[in-house]
Amino acid sequence: MTPPDIFSVVSVDVVALTYDRAARRVLFAAPERPQDPYRGEIALPGVVVHSGERLADAAARALDKVAVPSAPGALGQLRTFDEPTRDPRGPSLSVAMWAAYSPFDAPAPGGPWFPVDDAPHLAFDHDQILATSRELVAGMLWRDLGLTRALTGPELTATDAVAITEQLTGRVHRGNLNRDLARLPGLVEAGLAHGGRGRPAKVWRWT
């Protein structure tokens, strides 16, 4: 006799990221929940996966809760969370996905967007999902071209690169970062950013 599967529900929870260029902050989306459990609290956008549904399609449904007018520039899978008590409604699996929005596609700061390095408390086990996902995404930054290009937009300054790196990893080595940028396929130097205080920052552009 085959034992019953204790994880009868599979959900997708999405860590949706964007970069606020004006504030130089990496933001993540956490809309308010309109229903129980945790009604009125904020959580990562998530949905239950339908029978036969692909994870990317479930993630797209989850991102409808963020009300961003365009699709993310890139989307991927991170890891699965299987703590049996993670959901008060019963045992469930959560597949964590990442989504990256261009700075030009993101809404103004505020609303459901919060700094990834100063996150408020989230419902369910989403504090753990966010913390673990942040570490995984930090390891992908400047290595995964899909994530990096979507998060930075078509053009970025060296100052942007430092801010994004520092907020995802908690540290930055400027010499190593400059070498990482110079090695990225499709990323070329495009002059200097003038108009700010101090020394002009180098501009990088995706070809």
Side-chain angles (χ1 to χ4, degrees), residues 39-51:
R39 181 193 299 269
E41 297 187 36
I42 59 173
L44 299 174
V47 295
V48 173
V49 179
H50 294 158
S51 177

Side-chain angles (χ1 to χ4, degrees), residues 15-64:
V15 179
L17 300 169
T18 192
Y19 177 58
D20 178 357
R21 199 180 301 281
R24 293 180 181 150
R25 302 297 296 268
V26 177
L27 308 176
F28 76 98
E32 185 175 300
R33 285 184 54 79
Q35 73 278 333
D36 292 326
Y38 305 114
R39 181 193 299 269
E41 297 187 36
I42 59 173
L44 299 174
V47 295
V48 173
V49 179
H50 294 158
S51 177
E53 185 178 29
R54 298 180 69 91
L55 294 177
D57 294 332
R61 287 196 296 112
L63 290 170
D64 287 341

Side-chain angles (χ1 to χ4, degrees), residues 10 13 26-27 38 50 63 84 111 119 129 138 151 159 161 170 174 184:
V10 177
D13 293 303
V26 177
L27 308 176
Y38 305 114
H50 294 158
L63 290 170
I129 291 178
L151 189 59
T159 304
R174 291 173 185 257
L184 280 175

Side-chain angles (χ1 to χ4, degrees), residues 28 30-31 38 40-44 114-115 118-128 130:
F28 76 98
Y38 305 114
E41 297 187 36
I42 59 173
L44 299 174
F114 303 90
D118 189 22
H121 173 65
L122 305 174
F124 299 102
D125 60 343
H126 291 185
D127 290 337
Q128 179 190 356
L130 177 64

Side-chain angles (χ1 to χ4, degrees), residues 180-195:
D180 286 342
L181 294 175
R183 287 195 296 259
L184 280 175
L187 189 64
V188 297
E189 293 186 30
L192 298 174
H194 296 280

Side-chain angles (χ1 to χ4, degrees), residues 73-195:
L75 178 75
Q77 185 175 338
L78 290 168
R79 59 158 289 185
T80 300
F81 293 81
D82 61 356
E83 169 57 51
T85 61
R86 59 173 303 276
D87 190 326
R89 293 167 294 191
S92 67
L93 290 174
S94 171
V95 180
M97 307 280 287
W98 62 266
Y101 288 92
S102 165
F104 303 102
D105 295 335
W113 295 91
F114 303 90
V116 73
D117 61 343
D118 189 22
H121 173 65
L122 305 174
F124 299 102
D125 60 343
H126 291 185
D127 290 337
Q128 179 190 356
I129 291 178
L130 177 64
T132 301
S133 298
R134 179 185 172 191
E135 292 179 6
L136 295 173
V137 169
M140 297 164 60
L141 184 66
W142 315 123
R143 292 171 176 79
D144 184 296
L145 290 184
L147 166 73
T148 302
R149 293 186 70 146
L151 189 59
T152 62
E155 187 175 281
L156 70 152
T157 66
T159 304
D160 294 326
V162 168
I164 293 170
T165 302
E166 191 166 34
Q167 286 162 51
L168 286 175
T169 68
R171 62 191 183 279
V172 61
H173 188 291
R174 291 173 185 257
N176 290 342
L177 177 56
N178 286 332
R179 286 189 288 272
D180 286 342
L181 294 175
R183 287 195 296 259
L184 280 175
L187 189 64
V188 297
E189 293 186 30
L192 298 174
H194 296 280

